[in-house]
């Protein structure tokens, strides 16, 4: 039986989708906050050709929330075009002109509403296409129809928030359920990972599930990926394009390199900075929300990204995650005002399962989020629950439960003061950011219950499905219900 207590979930897309029925059962008032930095899969092609925020995780959550009586719309908006380029293009044309079999069970009036936005996007794709140039052709293979609808609606209305609202209204998603992008924007945001050994990997997909063709051990391509960058980036962007701080940047080991370009970004900027305004190159023209200059690593296609479990761990643990401008400089974006308000006022905040570094952290490090997490009401302390993953991944290899908690606390501190990106957090009140840690029995991650208890964090064990690394959802429901009702 659900309650009316407000629950807010910070998560990525795929992993948490399996928990959506559980969250809906816990409360009739649920908000999902999702990152907009995933540059993998079909989202990467939309970003390349159209620009705008990454919407794959948002679409994934929205389609999961579509009620059963709208199954025909769920099938349409979950449909992925063929991996064969020509077949995919034909499928898209059939969807646009209304002849595809997916339309058969959909009310004609509803079909025409959806088609209007598909047609709008299709016209935009044709306008941006250039015959004979592969760089100026949209790749339809593996495109998700829901992503294409959200893109068409965003372009037409001019707002991602409004496009999401339209999606919810047309599919009759529960009006008390919110799906919120962590940043309110029409532009693309990317993240980078600074590793402990000084390397920087740029792009969420490259960090978490890189295309196999760009794997550092793949001999068929340049073996220097990730690029061997020995200098950290400045904490804030500079105020002029000429002063990027890629010249004379202090190195991690304390040295100083004066007026020497230290990576490919600086070299490209030095080469092209004078020609931006007068360039006649079509590929350099700004088109819609696509910036004139893009970091070279972000130009590498991630359409055929790899989410297999066989990806090797990173060359070194991740020291921290940060947002970057198209030039590769560190920036500190402001969180969506509605997201800040939602987290501030929620009764229960849940950091859900999934990618810690590329799904949870990109939300927490936004300006305004750390303070909102730490805020309690005058009458009740907010429950802040971390659902610990059942196993480690490429991003978290070698980490323990305490490390997960420490990353979240440090990210929240960075959100409040970006100059404290390397701050030691062991002396802080961890329970301002996490009050409960829920983990599976026989965990693959070491859980130091006594140490966390000393930091004010209560650890609760939940059964897992036999032979898997998944929570037993029935047991998880009763545990969460007990915590929330305390």
């Amino acid at each position: 039986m659900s309650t009316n207590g407000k629950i807010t979930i910070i998560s990525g897309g795929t992993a948490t989708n399996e928990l959506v029925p559980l969250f809906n059962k816990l409360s009739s008032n649920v908000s999902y906050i999702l990152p907009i930095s995933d540059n993998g899969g079909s989202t990467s092609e939309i970003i390349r050709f159209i620009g705008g925020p990454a919407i794959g995780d948002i679409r994934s959550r929205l389609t999961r929330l579509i009620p059963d009586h709208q199954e025909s719309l769920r099938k349409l908006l979950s449909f992925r075009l063929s991996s064969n380029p020509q077949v995919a293009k034909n499928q898209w044309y059939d969807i646009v002109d209304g002849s595809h079999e997916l339309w058969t069970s959909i009310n004609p009036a509803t079909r025409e509403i959806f088609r209007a936005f598909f047609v709008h996007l299709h016209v935009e794709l044709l306008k941006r296409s250039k015959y004979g140039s592969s760089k100026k052709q949209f790749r339809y293979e593996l495109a998700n129809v829901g992503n294409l609808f959200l893109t068409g609606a965003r372009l037409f209305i001019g707002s991602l928030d409004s496009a999401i609202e339209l999606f919810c209204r047309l599919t009759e998603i529960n009006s008390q359920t919110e799906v919120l992008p962590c940043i309110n924007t029409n532009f693309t945001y990317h993240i980078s990972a600074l590793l402990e050994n000084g390397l920087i990997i740029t792009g969420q997909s490259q960090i978490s599930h890189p295309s196999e063709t760009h794997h550092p051990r793949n001999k068929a391509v340049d073996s220097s990926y990730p690029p061997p960058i020995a200098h950290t980036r400045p904490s804030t962007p500079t105020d002029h394009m000429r002063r990027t701080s890629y010249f004379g940047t202090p190195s991690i080991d304390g040295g100083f390199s004066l007026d020497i370009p230290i990576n490919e970004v600086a070299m490209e900027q030095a080469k092209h900075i004078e020609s931006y305004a007068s360039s006649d190159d079509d590929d350099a023209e700004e088109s819609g929300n696509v910036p004139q200059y893009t970091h070279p690593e972000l130009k590498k296609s991630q359409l055929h990204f790899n989410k297999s479990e066989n990806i090797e761990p990173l060359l070194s643990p991740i020291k921290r995650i940060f947002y970057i401008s198209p030039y590769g400089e560190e920036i500190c974006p402001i969180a969506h005002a509605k997201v800040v308000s939602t987290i501030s006022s929620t009764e229960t905040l849940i950091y859900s399962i999934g990618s810690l570094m590329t799904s949870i952290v990109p939300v927490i490090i936004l300006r305004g989020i750390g303070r909102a997490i730490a805020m309690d009401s005058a009458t009740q302390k907010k429950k802040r629950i971390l659902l610990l993953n059942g196993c480690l991944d490429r991003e978290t290899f070698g980490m323990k439960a305490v490390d997960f908690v420490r990353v979240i606390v440090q990210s929240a501190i960075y959100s409040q003061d970006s100059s404290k990106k390397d701050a030691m957090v062991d002396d802080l009140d961890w329970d301002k950011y996490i009050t409960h840690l829920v983990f599976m029995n026989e965990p693959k991650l070491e859980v130091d219950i006594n140490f966390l208890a000393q930091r004010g964090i209560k650890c609760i064990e939940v059964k897992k499905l036999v032979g898997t690394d998944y929570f037993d959802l029935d047991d998880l429901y009763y545990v969460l219900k007990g915590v929330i009702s305390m």
Side-chain angles (χ1 to χ4, degrees), residues 267-314:
M267 294 175 184
E268 287 298 311
Q269 283 185 237
K271 186 191 303 180
H272 296 297
I273 197 166
E274 296 295 343
S275 62
Y276 282 156
S278 59
S279 174
D280 293 325
D281 183 0
D282 287 338
D283 289 338
E285 292 178 359
E286 185 167 350
S287 182
N289 303 131
V290 181
Q292 287 179 301
Y293 179 83
T294 303
H295 189 294
E297 286 302 312
L298 299 175
K299 290 183 177 181
K300 294 182 178 181
S301 173
Q302 292 294 317
L303 179 59
H304 299 278
F305 68 92
N306 180 9
K307 270 199 172 180
S308 73
E309 296 180 356
N310 299 319
I311 295 179
E312 297 180 16
L314 294 169

Short mmCIF file of all heavy atoms in Angstrom, two decimals, residues 267-314:
data_model
loop_
_atom_site.label_atom_id
_atom_site.label_comp_id
_atom_site.label_asym_id
_atom_site.label_seq_id
_atom_site.Cartn_x
_atom_site.Cartn_y
_atom_site.Cartn_z
N MET A 267 46.16 22.29 -28.87
CA MET A 267 46.75 22.37 -30.20
C MET A 267 45.71 22.78 -31.24
O MET A 267 45.98 23.61 -32.12
CB MET A 267 47.36 21.02 -30.57
CG MET A 267 48.54 20.64 -29.68
SD MET A 267 49.15 18.98 -30.06
CE MET A 267 50.41 18.80 -28.78
N GLU A 268 44.52 22.18 -31.14
CA GLU A 268 43.47 22.52 -32.09
C GLU A 268 43.02 23.97 -31.92
O GLU A 268 42.78 24.68 -32.89
CB GLU A 268 42.28 21.57 -31.91
CG GLU A 268 42.53 20.16 -32.42
CD GLU A 268 42.79 20.15 -33.92
OE1 GLU A 268 42.01 20.77 -34.66
OE2 GLU A 268 43.78 19.55 -34.34
N GLN A 269 42.90 24.42 -30.66
CA GLN A 269 42.48 25.80 -30.44
C GLN A 269 43.52 26.77 -30.98
O GLN A 269 43.18 27.77 -31.61
CB GLN A 269 42.27 26.03 -28.95
CG GLN A 269 40.98 25.46 -28.42
CD GLN A 269 40.76 25.84 -26.98
OE1 GLN A 269 40.61 24.98 -26.15
NE2 GLN A 269 40.74 27.10 -26.68
N ALA A 270 44.78 26.49 -30.72
CA ALA A 270 45.84 27.38 -31.19
C ALA A 270 45.82 27.47 -32.72
O ALA A 270 46.11 28.51 -33.30
CB ALA A 270 47.19 26.87 -30.71
N LYS A 271 45.46 26.38 -33.36
CA LYS A 271 45.48 26.32 -34.82
C LYS A 271 44.28 27.05 -35.44
O LYS A 271 44.38 27.69 -36.47
CB LYS A 271 45.47 24.85 -35.26
CG LYS A 271 45.62 24.66 -36.76
CD LYS A 271 45.34 23.21 -37.16
CE LYS A 271 46.26 22.25 -36.41
NZ LYS A 271 45.99 20.84 -36.77
N HIS A 272 43.12 26.91 -34.78
CA HIS A 272 41.89 27.39 -35.41
C HIS A 272 41.25 28.62 -34.78
O HIS A 272 40.28 29.14 -35.31
CB HIS A 272 40.84 26.26 -35.39
CG HIS A 272 41.25 25.05 -36.18
ND1 HIS A 272 41.45 25.09 -37.53
CD2 HIS A 272 41.49 23.77 -35.79
CE1 HIS A 272 41.80 23.88 -37.96
NE2 HIS A 272 41.83 23.06 -36.92
N ILE A 273 41.79 29.09 -33.69
CA ILE A 273 41.09 30.14 -32.95
C ILE A 273 40.87 31.40 -33.78
O ILE A 273 39.86 32.07 -33.66
CB ILE A 273 41.86 30.46 -31.65
CG1 ILE A 273 40.95 31.21 -30.69
CG2 ILE A 273 43.12 31.25 -31.93
CD1 ILE A 273 41.50 31.26 -29.29
N GLU A 274 41.82 31.73 -34.67
CA GLU A 274 41.68 32.94 -35.48
C GLU A 274 40.69 32.75 -36.62
O GLU A 274 40.18 33.71 -37.18
CB GLU A 274 43.04 33.32 -36.07
CG GLU A 274 44.09 33.70 -35.03
CD GLU A 274 43.72 34.95 -34.27
OE1 GLU A 274 42.84 35.70 -34.74
OE2 GLU A 274 44.30 35.18 -33.19
N SER A 275 40.40 31.50 -36.96
CA SER A 275 39.57 31.26 -38.15
C SER A 275 38.11 30.95 -37.82
O SER A 275 37.31 30.76 -38.72
CB SER A 275 40.15 30.09 -38.96
OG SER A 275 40.13 28.91 -38.19
N TYR A 276 37.73 30.90 -36.51
CA TYR A 276 36.37 30.53 -36.17
C TYR A 276 35.34 31.44 -36.82
O TYR A 276 34.36 31.01 -37.41
CB TYR A 276 36.17 30.59 -34.65
CG TYR A 276 36.71 29.40 -33.91
CD1 TYR A 276 37.07 29.51 -32.57
CD2 TYR A 276 36.88 28.17 -34.55
CE1 TYR A 276 37.58 28.42 -31.88
CE2 TYR A 276 37.38 27.08 -33.87
CZ TYR A 276 37.73 27.21 -32.54
OH TYR A 276 38.23 26.14 -31.84
N ALA A 277 35.56 32.76 -36.69
CA ALA A 277 34.54 33.71 -37.14
C ALA A 277 34.42 33.75 -38.66
O ALA A 277 33.35 34.02 -39.19
CB ALA A 277 34.89 35.10 -36.62
N SER A 278 35.50 33.48 -39.39
CA SER A 278 35.47 33.65 -40.84
C SER A 278 35.51 32.34 -41.61
O SER A 278 35.57 32.35 -42.83
CB SER A 278 36.69 34.50 -41.27
OG SER A 278 37.90 33.86 -40.87
N SER A 279 35.46 31.19 -40.90
CA SER A 279 35.59 29.90 -41.58
C SER A 279 34.44 29.67 -42.55
O SER A 279 33.29 29.92 -42.25
CB SER A 279 35.63 28.77 -40.54
OG SER A 279 35.61 27.52 -41.19
N ASP A 280 34.80 29.15 -43.74
CA ASP A 280 33.79 28.79 -44.72
C ASP A 280 33.50 27.30 -44.70
O ASP A 280 32.71 26.80 -45.50
CB ASP A 280 34.26 29.19 -46.13
CG ASP A 280 34.33 30.69 -46.28
OD1 ASP A 280 33.48 31.39 -45.70
OD2 ASP A 280 35.24 31.15 -46.98
N ASP A 281 34.14 26.57 -43.81
CA ASP A 281 33.98 25.12 -43.72
C ASP A 281 32.61 24.80 -43.12
O ASP A 281 32.30 25.19 -42.01
CB ASP A 281 35.08 24.54 -42.84
CG ASP A 281 35.02 23.03 -42.75
OD1 ASP A 281 34.12 22.44 -43.38
OD2 ASP A 281 35.88 22.45 -42.05
N ASP A 282 31.78 24.08 -43.87
CA ASP A 282 30.44 23.76 -43.40
C ASP A 282 30.48 22.98 -42.09
O ASP A 282 29.60 23.12 -41.24
CB ASP A 282 29.67 22.94 -44.44
CG ASP A 282 29.24 23.79 -45.62
OD1 ASP A 282 29.16 25.01 -45.44
OD2 ASP A 282 29.01 23.23 -46.71
N ASP A 283 31.50 22.14 -41.92
CA ASP A 283 31.57 21.33 -40.72
C ASP A 283 31.89 22.16 -39.50
O ASP A 283 31.75 21.69 -38.37
CB ASP A 283 32.63 20.23 -40.88
CG ASP A 283 32.18 19.17 -41.87
OD1 ASP A 283 30.95 19.08 -42.09
OD2 ASP A 283 33.03 18.46 -42.43
N ALA A 284 32.38 23.37 -39.67
CA ALA A 284 32.72 24.23 -38.54
C ALA A 284 31.59 25.18 -38.18
O ALA A 284 31.66 25.87 -37.19
CB ALA A 284 33.98 25.04 -38.84
N GLU A 285 30.53 25.21 -39.00
CA GLU A 285 29.44 26.13 -38.74
C GLU A 285 28.62 25.68 -37.55
O GLU A 285 28.38 24.49 -37.35
CB GLU A 285 28.53 26.21 -39.98
CG GLU A 285 29.18 26.87 -41.17
CD GLU A 285 28.26 26.89 -42.37
OE1 GLU A 285 27.14 26.37 -42.25
OE2 GLU A 285 28.66 27.41 -43.42
N GLU A 286 28.19 26.64 -36.76
CA GLU A 286 27.31 26.30 -35.65
C GLU A 286 25.92 26.05 -36.20
O GLU A 286 25.40 26.79 -37.02
CB GLU A 286 27.29 27.44 -34.64
CG GLU A 286 26.49 27.10 -33.40
CD GLU A 286 26.72 28.10 -32.30
OE1 GLU A 286 27.63 28.92 -32.44
OE2 GLU A 286 25.99 28.04 -31.31
N SER A 287 25.31 24.95 -35.77
CA SER A 287 24.00 24.57 -36.28
C SER A 287 23.09 24.28 -35.11
O SER A 287 23.25 23.27 -34.43
CB SER A 287 24.13 23.34 -37.18
OG SER A 287 22.87 22.98 -37.71
N GLY A 288 22.12 25.14 -34.85
CA GLY A 288 21.22 24.92 -33.74
C GLY A 288 21.96 24.94 -32.42
O GLY A 288 22.55 25.93 -32.02
N ASN A 289 21.92 23.81 -31.72
CA ASN A 289 22.57 23.71 -30.41
C ASN A 289 23.91 23.01 -30.49
O ASN A 289 24.45 22.59 -29.48
CB ASN A 289 21.66 22.96 -29.43
CG ASN A 289 20.30 23.61 -29.28
OD1 ASN A 289 19.29 22.95 -29.36
ND2 ASN A 289 20.28 24.92 -29.10
N VAL A 290 24.46 22.84 -31.69
CA VAL A 290 25.75 22.19 -31.86
C VAL A 290 26.84 23.25 -31.85
O VAL A 290 26.85 24.15 -32.67
CB VAL A 290 25.81 21.39 -33.18
CG1 VAL A 290 27.15 20.70 -33.33
CG2 VAL A 290 24.68 20.39 -33.26
N PRO A 291 27.78 23.20 -30.89
CA PRO A 291 28.81 24.23 -30.81
C PRO A 291 29.78 24.19 -31.97
O PRO A 291 29.95 23.15 -32.62
CB PRO A 291 29.53 23.90 -29.49
CG PRO A 291 29.30 22.44 -29.30
CD PRO A 291 27.94 22.17 -29.87
N GLN A 292 30.44 25.32 -32.24
CA GLN A 292 31.38 25.39 -33.35
C GLN A 292 32.57 24.47 -33.12
O GLN A 292 33.07 23.85 -34.04
CB GLN A 292 31.89 26.82 -33.51
CG GLN A 292 30.87 27.77 -34.10
CD GLN A 292 31.43 29.17 -34.20
OE1 GLN A 292 31.82 29.77 -33.21
NE2 GLN A 292 31.49 29.70 -35.39
N TYR A 293 33.04 24.44 -31.88
CA TYR A 293 34.21 23.61 -31.57
C TYR A 293 33.81 22.55 -30.56
O TYR A 293 33.07 22.82 -29.62
CB TYR A 293 35.34 24.46 -30.98
CG TYR A 293 36.56 23.63 -30.64
CD1 TYR A 293 37.51 23.30 -31.60
CD2 TYR A 293 36.72 23.13 -29.35
CE1 TYR A 293 38.60 22.51 -31.29
CE2 TYR A 293 37.81 22.34 -29.03
CZ TYR A 293 38.75 22.04 -29.99
OH TYR A 293 39.82 21.24 -29.69
N THR A 294 34.29 21.34 -30.77
CA THR A 294 34.01 20.25 -29.84
C THR A 294 35.30 19.51 -29.54
O THR A 294 36.10 19.25 -30.44
CB THR A 294 32.97 19.27 -30.44
OG1 THR A 294 31.79 19.99 -30.77
CG2 THR A 294 32.63 18.17 -29.45
N HIS A 295 35.48 19.17 -28.28
CA HIS A 295 36.64 18.40 -27.85
C HIS A 295 36.81 17.17 -28.75
O HIS A 295 35.83 16.46 -29.03
CB HIS A 295 36.40 17.97 -26.39
CG HIS A 295 37.59 17.34 -25.73
ND1 HIS A 295 38.13 16.15 -26.14
CD2 HIS A 295 38.33 17.75 -24.67
CE1 HIS A 295 39.14 15.83 -25.36
NE2 HIS A 295 39.29 16.80 -24.46
N PRO A 296 38.01 16.89 -29.23
CA PRO A 296 38.22 15.76 -30.15
C PRO A 296 37.68 14.43 -29.64
O PRO A 296 37.16 13.64 -30.42
CB PRO A 296 39.75 15.72 -30.30
CG PRO A 296 40.19 17.13 -30.07
CD PRO A 296 39.25 17.67 -29.02
N GLU A 297 37.80 14.17 -28.33
CA GLU A 297 37.31 12.90 -27.81
C GLU A 297 35.80 12.79 -27.94
O GLU A 297 35.26 11.69 -28.08
CB GLU A 297 37.72 12.75 -26.34
CG GLU A 297 39.19 12.46 -26.13
CD GLU A 297 39.62 11.18 -26.84
OE1 GLU A 297 38.93 10.16 -26.70
OE2 GLU A 297 40.63 11.22 -27.55
N LEU A 298 35.09 13.93 -27.90
CA LEU A 298 33.64 13.90 -28.00
C LEU A 298 33.15 13.73 -29.42
O LEU A 298 31.97 13.49 -29.65
CB LEU A 298 33.06 15.19 -27.40
CG LEU A 298 33.36 15.42 -25.92
CD1 LEU A 298 32.84 16.77 -25.47
CD2 LEU A 298 32.77 14.30 -25.07
N LYS A 299 34.06 13.83 -30.38
CA LYS A 299 33.70 13.62 -31.78
C LYS A 299 33.72 12.14 -32.16
O LYS A 299 33.22 11.77 -33.21
CB LYS A 299 34.66 14.40 -32.69
CG LYS A 299 34.48 15.91 -32.62
CD LYS A 299 35.41 16.60 -33.61
CE LYS A 299 35.19 18.10 -33.59
NZ LYS A 299 36.07 18.80 -34.56
N LYS A 300 34.33 11.32 -31.31
CA LYS A 300 34.41 9.89 -31.61
C LYS A 300 33.02 9.27 -31.43
O LYS A 300 32.39 9.44 -30.40
CB LYS A 300 35.42 9.21 -30.70
CG LYS A 300 36.86 9.65 -30.95
CD LYS A 300 37.83 8.91 -30.06
CE LYS A 300 39.27 9.33 -30.35
NZ LYS A 300 40.25 8.61 -29.51
N SER A 301 32.59 8.52 -32.44
CA SER A 301 31.25 7.94 -32.39
C SER A 301 31.11 6.95 -31.25
O SER A 301 31.96 6.09 -31.04
CB SER A 301 30.94 7.23 -33.71
OG SER A 301 29.70 6.53 -33.62
N GLN A 302 30.02 7.09 -30.51
CA GLN A 302 29.68 6.12 -29.46
C GLN A 302 28.35 5.45 -29.77
O GLN A 302 27.67 4.94 -28.89
CB GLN A 302 29.62 6.84 -28.11
CG GLN A 302 30.95 7.36 -27.61
CD GLN A 302 31.93 6.25 -27.27
OE1 GLN A 302 31.57 5.24 -26.66
NE2 GLN A 302 33.17 6.41 -27.69
N LEU A 303 27.98 5.45 -31.07
CA LEU A 303 26.71 4.85 -31.47
C LEU A 303 26.70 3.36 -31.13
O LEU A 303 25.71 2.82 -30.66
CB LEU A 303 26.49 5.06 -32.98
CG LEU A 303 25.21 4.46 -33.57
CD1 LEU A 303 23.97 5.02 -32.88
CD2 LEU A 303 25.14 4.72 -35.07
N HIS A 304 27.82 2.69 -31.41
CA HIS A 304 27.91 1.26 -31.12
C HIS A 304 28.72 1.03 -29.85
O HIS A 304 29.74 0.36 -29.86
CB HIS A 304 28.55 0.54 -32.31
CG HIS A 304 27.77 0.67 -33.58
ND1 HIS A 304 26.69 -0.14 -33.86
CD2 HIS A 304 27.87 1.54 -34.62
CE1 HIS A 304 26.17 0.21 -35.05
NE2 HIS A 304 26.87 1.23 -35.51
N PHE A 305 28.25 1.64 -28.75
CA PHE A 305 28.96 1.52 -27.49
C PHE A 305 28.83 0.09 -26.96
O PHE A 305 27.99 -0.69 -27.40
CB PHE A 305 28.42 2.53 -26.48
CG PHE A 305 27.01 2.25 -26.03
CD1 PHE A 305 26.78 1.49 -24.90
CD2 PHE A 305 25.93 2.76 -26.73
CE1 PHE A 305 25.49 1.23 -24.48
CE2 PHE A 305 24.64 2.50 -26.32
CZ PHE A 305 24.42 1.73 -25.19
N ASN A 306 29.65 -0.21 -25.96
CA ASN A 306 29.73 -1.57 -25.44
C ASN A 306 29.32 -1.59 -23.98
O ASN A 306 29.98 -1.00 -23.14
CB ASN A 306 31.17 -2.09 -25.60
CG ASN A 306 31.34 -3.51 -25.09
OD1 ASN A 306 30.37 -4.18 -24.76
ND2 ASN A 306 32.58 -3.95 -25.02
N LYS A 307 28.21 -2.29 -23.67
CA LYS A 307 27.77 -2.42 -22.29
C LYS A 307 27.95 -3.85 -21.78
O LYS A 307 27.29 -4.26 -20.84
CB LYS A 307 26.30 -2.01 -22.15
CG LYS A 307 26.12 -0.53 -21.84
CD LYS A 307 24.75 -0.24 -21.28
CE LYS A 307 24.66 1.20 -20.80
NZ LYS A 307 23.35 1.54 -20.24
N SER A 308 28.83 -4.61 -22.40
CA SER A 308 29.06 -5.98 -21.96
C SER A 308 29.75 -5.97 -20.60
O SER A 308 30.33 -4.96 -20.17
CB SER A 308 29.92 -6.73 -22.97
OG SER A 308 31.25 -6.30 -22.91
N GLU A 309 29.70 -7.11 -19.92
CA GLU A 309 30.32 -7.21 -18.61
C GLU A 309 31.80 -7.51 -18.71
O GLU A 309 32.48 -7.67 -17.70
CB GLU A 309 29.62 -8.31 -17.80
CG GLU A 309 28.15 -8.00 -17.50
CD GLU A 309 27.49 -9.09 -16.70
OE1 GLU A 309 28.16 -10.12 -16.44
OE2 GLU A 309 26.32 -8.93 -16.32
N ASN A 310 32.33 -7.61 -19.94
CA ASN A 310 33.73 -7.99 -20.12
C ASN A 310 34.66 -6.79 -20.29
O ASN A 310 35.83 -6.96 -20.58
CB ASN A 310 33.86 -8.91 -21.35
CG ASN A 310 33.05 -10.19 -21.17
OD1 ASN A 310 33.04 -10.77 -20.09
ND2 ASN A 310 32.39 -10.63 -22.23
N ILE A 311 34.12 -5.58 -20.13
CA ILE A 311 34.98 -4.40 -20.26
C ILE A 311 35.98 -4.38 -19.11
O ILE A 311 35.62 -4.56 -17.95
CB ILE A 311 34.14 -3.12 -20.25
CG1 ILE A 311 33.22 -3.08 -21.47
CG2 ILE A 311 35.02 -1.89 -20.24
CD1 ILE A 311 32.34 -1.86 -21.53
N GLU A 312 37.24 -4.16 -19.45
CA GLU A 312 38.26 -4.14 -18.41
C GLU A 312 38.12 -2.88 -17.55
O GLU A 312 37.65 -1.85 -18.01
CB GLU A 312 39.65 -4.17 -19.06
CG GLU A 312 39.90 -5.44 -19.84
CD GLU A 312 41.28 -5.45 -20.48
OE1 GLU A 312 42.12 -4.62 -20.06
OE2 GLU A 312 41.52 -6.25 -21.39
N PRO A 313 38.57 -2.97 -16.29
CA PRO A 313 38.52 -1.79 -15.43
C PRO A 313 39.36 -0.65 -16.01
O PRO A 313 40.21 -0.85 -16.86
CB PRO A 313 39.13 -2.30 -14.11
CG PRO A 313 38.97 -3.79 -14.16
CD PRO A 313 39.09 -4.15 -15.61
N LEU A 314 39.11 0.55 -15.51
CA LEU A 314 39.90 1.70 -15.92
C LEU A 314 41.36 1.50 -15.53
O LEU A 314 41.68 0.72 -14.63
CB LEU A 314 39.36 2.97 -15.27
CG LEU A 314 37.96 3.41 -15.71
CD1 LEU A 314 37.45 4.52 -14.80
CD2 LEU A 314 37.98 3.86 -17.16
#
